[in-house]
Amino acid sequence: MSFLLALLLFAAPEWPQFRGPGSTGVAADDPRLPTTWSPTQNIAWATPIPGVGWSSPVVAGNLVFLTAAIAPGAAAAPKPGLYLGPLPPKPTDEHRWVVYALDFDSGKIVWEREVHRGVPPQARHAKNTFATETPVTDGEHVYAYFGNVGLFCLDRKGKILWKRSWDPVSTRLGWGTAASPVLHQDRLYIVNDNDTKSYLTALDKKTGQTIWTVDRAEESNWATPYLWQHAQRTEIITPGTKKVRSYDLDGKLLWELGGMSSITIPTPFTAHGLLYVTSGYVGDQTRPYFVIKPGAKGDISLKPGETSNAYIAWHLPQAGPYNPSPLVYGDNLYTLMDRGFLTAHNARTGAELFSKQRIDAAAGAFTASPWAYNGKVFAASEDGDTFVMTAGASFELLHKNTLNEMIMATPAIARGSLFLRTFSKLYRITNQSAKPAAWDRFRGPNGTGVAETGALPAEFGPGKNNPWKTPLPPGHSSPIVAGGRIFLTAFESGAGGEEQLLTIALDEKTGRTLWRRPAPRPRREPLDKRNSPASPSPVSDGERVYVFFPDYGLLAYSLDGAPQWNVPLGPFDNSYGMGASPILAGDKVVLICDQNRQSFAVAFDRATGRPRWRTPRPEALSGHSTPVLYQPAQGPAQIVAPGSFRMDAYSEEDGRVVWSTGGLASEMKSVPVLAADGTIYINGYNIPDNDPGKQIQLPAYAEALRQWDANGNGKLDYAELTDARSRKYFDYLDFDKDKALDAEEWRSFTLTLSAENGLLAVESGTGRVKWKYHRGIPQLPSTLLYRDVLYMITDSGILTTLRPATGEVLKQGRIRGAADNYYAAPVASDGKVFFASRSGVVTVLQAGGEQEPLGQVELDDEIYATPAIAGGRLYVRTRSALYAFGS
């Protein structure tokens, strides 16, 4: 039986607001994101946009939203640069205010909706427009704010659902408005700082009705507010001239801070658990940075001579920008000055990395905020030039990309594309020589479980959007996709009745078996009933495929199945059987071999199989976490490998430990997830007695011998332990099965019983734990991070969705219609999240924290393997077959 999937109700936004998720301007690395472009290079489309506007585009699903104001006659681009006048007079002719929706793939204007028509109620600066505020979207609606004209809510088809207007206000020297709205849960927040009456207001996003309004003792400013979510609370940060103020979600003042410049424009944001607030009006001597710790209250202003206090981590008095918002990328804070200079500081301490560096001798003024991805920092000038710089502690200009038209709008970034607005056009720019991230290892690109490879079908099941189904021998390895082939491992009975280990290659388009290669099997290691002799997934670099069989070792084949090399490994002593998959790092194949004793990480040369390095993991016990790669701004890649009680990062070059973090459970089976901001999310669960407050604290070995070694044999026998819970777990830690614990076993025993189950958010590079969460933690399925939501499903089917910034729970409950065990990890693409249960039910949820079901399909066999996504298809392996779902 199968259920057809319902149509996607709405798409979770990928770039929902000004400067994107979290207002950071940072996008996840993606080979499709461009480094170089021109009017004829790497341009997917360039769509003329009628009217004038400096609002940024926002992206949700297949739609890109943009606003503009249209006046009679042809508009001319203003003069670039910093100047006060002459300012244009207040218009007297009729204007039209318009919201556009463009098709993501083609750039075609899907709809154009006029939301207001009339004479502008105020003047504006020559470089400002009447459509400078960036809209915000929740995926279902778009909210377009046009300052003195009003706020308009439209659905995805362009229907106006409600609108609001306010009395027109005057702004400094008639410069006009620019601060964008922000959205949090069911409320919209708008700051309007002006020369008439300044205010902050909260509106119901469903109706537009005012929930509350607070007056602000401010004159004109143009800073977009920021919703700061941290472990203690959520607060609204509003920079101003007189004060930076923080309000709670009901409009109550929480804290305030003086010392800003006379005009504030940059948007606040957070990184490394800190809040970054700055202003730098070019006519002032005071152009400060304030970096603020969570939990502030009251007046936290610095006293004369102070550079920090209880709530201000650090302060710089003359380093702030005027128009562009700053950027934290990795450990570095980059500041783009309006006149074409770039500075860098340590984001945690404020220590200067490099002083003002002129980006280019010919570079003019800069208004758009910088952005970053793929290890590079980008800055677009008003002249239409985008400068590409290396992210790091020293300045290096790599490229200059020219579009020959004025740029003042900050771009949007989504699904491997850069959306850059010039005075007359919106460009979608993508690296047209790059292929989408391949599903070339366990859980796909760097173990994320996410691959935006194209539209997945809204309906599927056996025989429905099902190009092929290929019978397979059993095995728990997940499929990987590389070079037009799908690779898996399996086992089956051979001619003599003995089980045979197999590597299998299928044609990606047809599912036809291209080749099968047997592997030696000198032994049969004990396995948990949930495990398989073919559990580790292959990995491929597009030239070879590498497979690991715990009953033999590591083998390499060409994509056509020709043996390349093999390395015997083991035997292993893992309580459940080995399960970690190999990964690629640099020119090496890396494998984590955790077992009861003598665990290690090892690297082999990709081309030859020659050992490159081997590093002991002395604390690691039985587990099978597959590692991921973290690339710092400088230096070699790091292999982030969870293990018992700790997570280590190894240098890809030589295997040395670069940094570590503690606090993990004793058995680690999940894959860590690396976010674009460098946060690593890792879940671990061992036994119920590892839940907080239930841990067993045992004495040191010498004291334990004194208390319990009744027979004086220098060990702790099973019969000598009287605690029921200690006896319950005794066999798991009695590694040599002699019914007694020696000093090493006792140490592992005490660490295991005192460890804590949990989901941790860890800062890469330092190992600092940002937050922990302890309810509903899975043992086997890995956590998924997709479109700013964390998904965590337990082995028994309890799904928790959380905010990645804070660990705040959005929803927790059992997946409807699929009460079952879950051993496969969730995967995501195209606004959908896929969960595969052991009995063969695939549940599809709409991306977002509310766990909205789109449908379910019931397959005909059990599922243990994590699905794969590639080329617009979902690949699901059951115990007896591989299904391809898609076009």
Side-chain angles (χ1 to χ4, degrees), residues 658-683:
V658 182
W659 56 267
S660 300
T661 189
L664 275 65
S666 62
E667 287 183 3
M668 297 301 300
K669 302 180 176 70
S670 63
V671 177
V673 176
L674 176 64
D677 67 354
T679 303
I680 297 168
Y681 302 95
I682 179 66
N683 60 280

PDB file of all heavy atoms in Angstrom, residues 658-683:
ATOM      1  N   VAL A 658      44.167  18.804  16.766  1.00  0.00           N
ATOM      2  CA  VAL A 658      44.220  20.264  16.718  1.00  0.00           C
ATOM      3  C   VAL A 658      43.398  20.878  17.840  1.00  0.00           C
ATOM      4  O   VAL A 658      43.799  21.838  18.472  1.00  0.00           O
ATOM      5  CB  VAL A 658      43.732  20.772  15.340  1.00  0.00           C
ATOM      6  CG1 VAL A 658      43.837  22.288  15.251  1.00  0.00           C
ATOM      7  CG2 VAL A 658      44.513  20.116  14.219  1.00  0.00           C
ATOM      8  N   TRP A 659      42.227  20.343  18.077  1.00  0.00           N
ATOM      9  CA  TRP A 659      41.392  20.782  19.194  1.00  0.00           C
ATOM     10  C   TRP A 659      40.425  19.660  19.554  1.00  0.00           C
ATOM     11  O   TRP A 659      40.217  18.727  18.788  1.00  0.00           O
ATOM     12  CB  TRP A 659      40.625  22.075  18.877  1.00  0.00           C
ATOM     13  CG  TRP A 659      39.758  22.056  17.649  1.00  0.00           C
ATOM     14  CD1 TRP A 659      40.117  22.446  16.391  1.00  0.00           C
ATOM     15  CD2 TRP A 659      38.393  21.610  17.556  1.00  0.00           C
ATOM     16  NE1 TRP A 659      39.071  22.269  15.513  1.00  0.00           N
ATOM     17  CE2 TRP A 659      37.990  21.771  16.197  1.00  0.00           C
ATOM     18  CE3 TRP A 659      37.474  21.110  18.464  1.00  0.00           C
ATOM     19  CZ2 TRP A 659      36.714  21.433  15.758  1.00  0.00           C
ATOM     20  CZ3 TRP A 659      36.200  20.771  18.035  1.00  0.00           C
ATOM     21  CH2 TRP A 659      35.828  20.940  16.692  1.00  0.00           C
ATOM     22  N   SER A 660      39.852  19.768  20.745  1.00  0.00           N
ATOM     23  CA  SER A 660      38.937  18.744  21.241  1.00  0.00           C
ATOM     24  C   SER A 660      37.838  19.397  22.049  1.00  0.00           C
ATOM     25  O   SER A 660      37.947  20.553  22.468  1.00  0.00           O
ATOM     26  CB  SER A 660      39.668  17.733  22.135  1.00  0.00           C
ATOM     27  OG  SER A 660      40.694  17.078  21.435  1.00  0.00           O
ATOM     28  N   THR A 661      36.779  18.640  22.258  1.00  0.00           N
ATOM     29  CA  THR A 661      35.736  19.059  23.178  1.00  0.00           C
ATOM     30  C   THR A 661      35.258  17.840  23.940  1.00  0.00           C
ATOM     31  O   THR A 661      35.288  16.719  23.421  1.00  0.00           O
ATOM     32  CB  THR A 661      34.558  19.728  22.447  1.00  0.00           C
ATOM     33  OG1 THR A 661      33.674  20.310  23.392  1.00  0.00           O
ATOM     34  CG2 THR A 661      33.772  18.736  21.608  1.00  0.00           C
ATOM     35  N   GLY A 662      34.827  18.029  25.173  1.00  0.00           N
ATOM     36  CA  GLY A 662      34.328  16.933  25.999  1.00  0.00           C
ATOM     37  C   GLY A 662      32.815  16.972  26.117  1.00  0.00           C
ATOM     38  O   GLY A 662      32.122  17.723  25.426  1.00  0.00           O
ATOM     39  N   GLY A 663      32.279  16.132  27.005  1.00  0.00           N
ATOM     40  CA  GLY A 663      30.855  16.151  27.296  1.00  0.00           C
ATOM     41  C   GLY A 663      30.018  15.235  26.440  1.00  0.00           C
ATOM     42  O   GLY A 663      28.783  15.290  26.504  1.00  0.00           O
ATOM     43  N   LEU A 664      30.641  14.359  25.617  1.00  0.00           N
ATOM     44  CA  LEU A 664      29.866  13.465  24.770  1.00  0.00           C
ATOM     45  C   LEU A 664      29.491  12.194  25.523  1.00  0.00           C
ATOM     46  O   LEU A 664      30.078  11.870  26.573  1.00  0.00           O
ATOM     47  CB  LEU A 664      30.653  13.096  23.506  1.00  0.00           C
ATOM     48  CG  LEU A 664      30.555  14.073  22.329  1.00  0.00           C
ATOM     49  CD1 LEU A 664      31.172  15.417  22.672  1.00  0.00           C
ATOM     50  CD2 LEU A 664      31.208  13.475  21.084  1.00  0.00           C
ATOM     51  N   ALA A 665      28.533  11.475  24.994  1.00  0.00           N
ATOM     52  CA  ALA A 665      28.132  10.195  25.563  1.00  0.00           C
ATOM     53  C   ALA A 665      29.245   9.170  25.342  1.00  0.00           C
ATOM     54  O   ALA A 665      30.207   9.404  24.620  1.00  0.00           O
ATOM     55  CB  ALA A 665      26.827   9.722  24.934  1.00  0.00           C
ATOM     56  N   SER A 666      29.081   7.988  25.949  1.00  0.00           N
ATOM     57  CA  SER A 666      30.145   6.989  25.850  1.00  0.00           C
ATOM     58  C   SER A 666      30.091   6.206  24.543  1.00  0.00           C
ATOM     59  O   SER A 666      31.107   5.678  24.103  1.00  0.00           O
ATOM     60  CB  SER A 666      30.063   6.017  27.031  1.00  0.00           C
ATOM     61  OG  SER A 666      28.833   5.325  27.014  1.00  0.00           O
ATOM     62  N   GLU A 667      28.909   6.094  23.942  1.00  0.00           N
ATOM     63  CA  GLU A 667      28.802   5.417  22.655  1.00  0.00           C
ATOM     64  C   GLU A 667      28.353   6.430  21.620  1.00  0.00           C
ATOM     65  O   GLU A 667      27.282   7.013  21.745  1.00  0.00           O
ATOM     66  CB  GLU A 667      27.805   4.262  22.720  1.00  0.00           C
ATOM     67  CG  GLU A 667      28.315   3.067  23.491  1.00  0.00           C
ATOM     68  CD  GLU A 667      27.322   1.916  23.469  1.00  0.00           C
ATOM     69  OE1 GLU A 667      26.284   2.053  22.801  1.00  0.00           O
ATOM     70  OE2 GLU A 667      27.597   0.896  24.121  1.00  0.00           O
ATOM     71  N   MET A 668      29.157   6.636  20.599  1.00  0.00           N
ATOM     72  CA  MET A 668      28.849   7.630  19.567  1.00  0.00           C
ATOM     73  C   MET A 668      28.673   6.924  18.228  1.00  0.00           C
ATOM     74  O   MET A 668      29.564   6.225  17.758  1.00  0.00           O
ATOM     75  CB  MET A 668      29.950   8.680  19.484  1.00  0.00           C
ATOM     76  CG  MET A 668      30.101   9.509  20.760  1.00  0.00           C
ATOM     77  SD  MET A 668      28.593  10.402  21.224  1.00  0.00           S
ATOM     78  CE  MET A 668      28.371  11.417  19.781  1.00  0.00           C
ATOM     79  N   LYS A 669      27.505   7.131  17.638  1.00  0.00           N
ATOM     80  CA  LYS A 669      27.193   6.482  16.368  1.00  0.00           C
ATOM     81  C   LYS A 669      26.755   7.478  15.300  1.00  0.00           C
ATOM     82  O   LYS A 669      26.671   7.124  14.131  1.00  0.00           O
ATOM     83  CB  LYS A 669      26.108   5.433  16.583  1.00  0.00           C
ATOM     84  CG  LYS A 669      26.490   4.355  17.604  1.00  0.00           C
ATOM     85  CD  LYS A 669      25.383   3.339  17.767  1.00  0.00           C
ATOM     86  CE  LYS A 669      25.814   2.221  18.717  1.00  0.00           C
ATOM     87  NZ  LYS A 669      25.926   2.664  20.106  1.00  0.00           N
ATOM     88  N   SER A 670      26.453   8.705  15.677  1.00  0.00           N
ATOM     89  CA  SER A 670      25.922   9.673  14.723  1.00  0.00           C
ATOM     90  C   SER A 670      27.041  10.462  14.047  1.00  0.00           C
ATOM     91  O   SER A 670      28.172  10.537  14.530  1.00  0.00           O
ATOM     92  CB  SER A 670      24.967  10.638  15.423  1.00  0.00           C
ATOM     93  OG  SER A 670      25.654  11.392  16.396  1.00  0.00           O
ATOM     94  N   VAL A 671      26.686  11.057  12.909  1.00  0.00           N
ATOM     95  CA  VAL A 671      27.605  11.900  12.153  1.00  0.00           C
ATOM     96  C   VAL A 671      27.458  13.343  12.635  1.00  0.00           C
ATOM     97  O   VAL A 671      26.337  13.838  12.763  1.00  0.00           O
ATOM     98  CB  VAL A 671      27.293  11.830  10.644  1.00  0.00           C
ATOM     99  CG1 VAL A 671      28.194  12.758   9.846  1.00  0.00           C
ATOM    100  CG2 VAL A 671      27.442  10.397  10.151  1.00  0.00           C
ATOM    101  N   PRO A 672      28.552  14.051  12.907  1.00  0.00           N
ATOM    102  CA  PRO A 672      28.416  15.473  13.247  1.00  0.00           C
ATOM    103  C   PRO A 672      27.947  16.269  12.041  1.00  0.00           C
ATOM    104  O   PRO A 672      28.196  15.890  10.893  1.00  0.00           O
ATOM    105  CB  PRO A 672      29.827  15.882  13.680  1.00  0.00           C
ATOM    106  CG  PRO A 672      30.729  14.878  13.045  1.00  0.00           C
ATOM    107  CD  PRO A 672      29.951  13.608  12.920  1.00  0.00           C
ATOM    108  N   VAL A 673      27.255  17.364  12.295  1.00  0.00           N
ATOM    109  CA  VAL A 673      26.759  18.236  11.237  1.00  0.00           C
ATOM    110  C   VAL A 673      27.437  19.590  11.382  1.00  0.00           C
ATOM    111  O   VAL A 673      27.374  20.209  12.457  1.00  0.00           O
ATOM    112  CB  VAL A 673      25.232  18.397  11.306  1.00  0.00           C
ATOM    113  CG1 VAL A 673      24.753  19.385  10.255  1.00  0.00           C
ATOM    114  CG2 VAL A 673      24.551  17.049  11.097  1.00  0.00           C
ATOM    115  N   LEU A 674      28.093  20.052  10.317  1.00  0.00           N
ATOM    116  CA  LEU A 674      28.813  21.327  10.336  1.00  0.00           C
ATOM    117  C   LEU A 674      27.964  22.391   9.654  1.00  0.00           C
ATOM    118  O   LEU A 674      27.605  22.250   8.483  1.00  0.00           O
ATOM    119  CB  LEU A 674      30.160  21.175   9.627  1.00  0.00           C
ATOM    120  CG  LEU A 674      31.000  22.441   9.472  1.00  0.00           C
ATOM    121  CD1 LEU A 674      31.421  22.984  10.829  1.00  0.00           C
ATOM    122  CD2 LEU A 674      32.221  22.163   8.603  1.00  0.00           C
ATOM    123  N   ALA A 675      27.648  23.468  10.373  1.00  0.00           N
ATOM    124  CA  ALA A 675      26.861  24.570   9.821  1.00  0.00           C
ATOM    125  C   ALA A 675      27.779  25.581   9.144  1.00  0.00           C
ATOM    126  O   ALA A 675      28.993  25.584   9.333  1.00  0.00           O
ATOM    127  CB  ALA A 675      26.057  25.251  10.930  1.00  0.00           C
ATOM    128  N   ALA A 676      27.158  26.484   8.379  1.00  0.00           N
ATOM    129  CA  ALA A 676      27.928  27.481   7.641  1.00  0.00           C
ATOM    130  C   ALA A 676      28.704  28.397   8.570  1.00  0.00           C
ATOM    131  O   ALA A 676      29.768  28.908   8.205  1.00  0.00           O
ATOM    132  CB  ALA A 676      26.998  28.299   6.743  1.00  0.00           C
ATOM    133  N   ASP A 677      28.189  28.638   9.785  1.00  0.00           N
ATOM    134  CA  ASP A 677      28.880  29.537  10.708  1.00  0.00           C
ATOM    135  C   ASP A 677      29.949  28.820  11.520  1.00  0.00           C
ATOM    136  O   ASP A 677      30.545  29.410  12.427  1.00  0.00           O
ATOM    137  CB  ASP A 677      27.874  30.223  11.640  1.00  0.00           C
ATOM    138  CG  ASP A 677      27.201  29.254  12.610  1.00  0.00           C
ATOM    139  OD1 ASP A 677      27.419  28.031  12.499  1.00  0.00           O
ATOM    140  OD2 ASP A 677      26.439  29.732  13.478  1.00  0.00           O
ATOM    141  N   GLY A 678      30.204  27.551  11.210  1.00  0.00           N
ATOM    142  CA  GLY A 678      31.243  26.805  11.926  1.00  0.00           C
ATOM    143  C   GLY A 678      30.753  26.034  13.125  1.00  0.00           C
ATOM    144  O   GLY A 678      31.530  25.329  13.768  1.00  0.00           O
ATOM    145  N   THR A 679      29.467  26.139  13.466  1.00  0.00           N
ATOM    146  CA  THR A 679      28.927  25.365  14.585  1.00  0.00           C
ATOM    147  C   THR A 679      28.786  23.906  14.177  1.00  0.00           C
ATOM    148  O   THR A 679      28.344  23.588  13.070  1.00  0.00           O
ATOM    149  CB  THR A 679      27.567  25.913  15.026  1.00  0.00           C
ATOM    150  OG1 THR A 679      27.700  27.285  15.369  1.00  0.00           O
ATOM    151  CG2 THR A 679      27.045  25.152  16.241  1.00  0.00           C
ATOM    152  N   ILE A 680      29.161  23.007  15.091  1.00  0.00           N
ATOM    153  CA  ILE A 680      29.042  21.574  14.869  1.00  0.00           C
ATOM    154  C   ILE A 680      27.967  21.041  15.812  1.00  0.00           C
ATOM    155  O   ILE A 680      28.003  21.294  17.020  1.00  0.00           O
ATOM    156  CB  ILE A 680      30.376  20.857  15.128  1.00  0.00           C
ATOM    157  CG1 ILE A 680      31.441  21.350  14.145  1.00  0.00           C
ATOM    158  CG2 ILE A 680      30.214  19.345  15.027  1.00  0.00           C
ATOM    159  CD1 ILE A 680      32.845  20.920  14.497  1.00  0.00           C
ATOM    160  N   TYR A 681      27.007  20.299  15.258  1.00  0.00           N
ATOM    161  CA  TYR A 681      25.945  19.691  16.056  1.00  0.00           C
ATOM    162  C   TYR A 681      26.172  18.187  16.094  1.00  0.00           C
ATOM    163  O   TYR A 681      26.354  17.545  15.062  1.00  0.00           O
ATOM    164  CB  TYR A 681      24.576  20.014  15.453  1.00  0.00           C
ATOM    165  CG  TYR A 681      24.313  21.495  15.354  1.00  0.00           C
ATOM    166  CD1 TYR A 681      24.583  22.188  14.181  1.00  0.00           C
ATOM    167  CD2 TYR A 681      23.828  22.211  16.439  1.00  0.00           C
ATOM    168  CE1 TYR A 681      24.371  23.560  14.090  1.00  0.00           C
ATOM    169  CE2 TYR A 681      23.607  23.582  16.360  1.00  0.00           C
ATOM    170  CZ  TYR A 681      23.882  24.247  15.179  1.00  0.00           C
ATOM    171  OH  TYR A 681      23.677  25.603  15.101  1.00  0.00           O
ATOM    172  N   ILE A 682      26.170  17.620  17.305  1.00  0.00           N
ATOM    173  CA  ILE A 682      26.447  16.199  17.457  1.00  0.00           C
ATOM    174  C   ILE A 682      25.557  15.634  18.561  1.00  0.00           C
ATOM    175  O   ILE A 682      25.449  16.229  19.638  1.00  0.00           O
ATOM    176  CB  ILE A 682      27.946  15.950  17.763  1.00  0.00           C
ATOM    177  CG1 ILE A 682      28.234  14.459  17.935  1.00  0.00           C
ATOM    178  CG2 ILE A 682      28.415  16.766  18.962  1.00  0.00           C
ATOM    179  CD1 ILE A 682      28.050  13.644  16.684  1.00  0.00           C
ATOM    180  N   ASN A 683      24.897  14.520  18.273  1.00  0.00           N
ATOM    181  CA  ASN A 683      24.047  13.868  19.264  1.00  0.00           C
ATOM    182  C   ASN A 683      24.646  12.533  19.672  1.00  0.00           C
ATOM    183  O   ASN A 683      25.255  11.836  18.854  1.00  0.00           O
ATOM    184  CB  ASN A 683      22.623  13.658  18.733  1.00  0.00           C
ATOM    185  CG  ASN A 683      22.564  12.802  17.483  1.00  0.00           C
ATOM    186  OD1 ASN A 683      22.817  13.302  16.394  1.00  0.00           O
ATOM    187  ND2 ASN A 683      22.218  11.527  17.633  1.00  0.00           N
TER     188      ASN A 683
END
